[in-house]
Amino acid sequence: MRHLARLADYCSITNMHTKNLAIVWAPNLLRSKQIESACFSGTAAFMEVRIQSVVVEFILNHVDVLFSSKLSSIIRDGAGVCS
């Protein structure tokens, strides 16, 4: 994810903004067996991929926070757990 976020930094050269990267990479990063099954219609599959791309775009826009060492240590130590 950090690599894709770094690629987005060069969007002025590549025209691959986070939205474009998310559209291209979302189906691979968030693969859905439902989409791959024959029972999904074209419209339903399109909506599923659209949701996936929104999620990946969010992750790319917030990669520094989501994958920070501070957040990792908080999760690992269980500091955010309610009892």
Side-chain angles (χ1 to χ4, degrees):
M1 294 308 280
R2 287 181 197 262
H3 177 69
L4 292 177
R6 266 187 255 125
L7 284 176
D9 290 340
Y10 295 96
C11 64
S12 62
I13 299 167
T14 64
N15 202 32
M16 292 300 286
H17 304 271
T18 54
K19 184 172 189 150
N20 293 344
L21 289 166
I23 289 169
V24 171
W25 283 95
N28 294 303
L29 295 172
L30 301 176
R31 181 161 293 213
S32 171
K33 293 195 183 274
Q34 291 176 335
I35 292 176
E36 294 173 359
S37 71
C39 66
F40 247 64
S41 70
T43 304
F46 173 76
M47 290 304 295
E48 183 76 15
V49 170
R50 188 167 178 250
I51 292 168
Q52 289 173 342
S53 68
V54 169
V55 170
V56 171
E57 184 180 3
F58 176 84
I59 293 170
L60 290 175
N61 285 326
H62 298 91
V63 73
D64 291 335
V65 174
L66 294 171
F67 296 101
S68 73
S69 58
K70 184 177 179 180
L71 181 62
S72 296
S73 65
I74 290 170
I75 293 170
R76 187 177 41 250
D77 296 341
V81 177
C82 299
S83 21

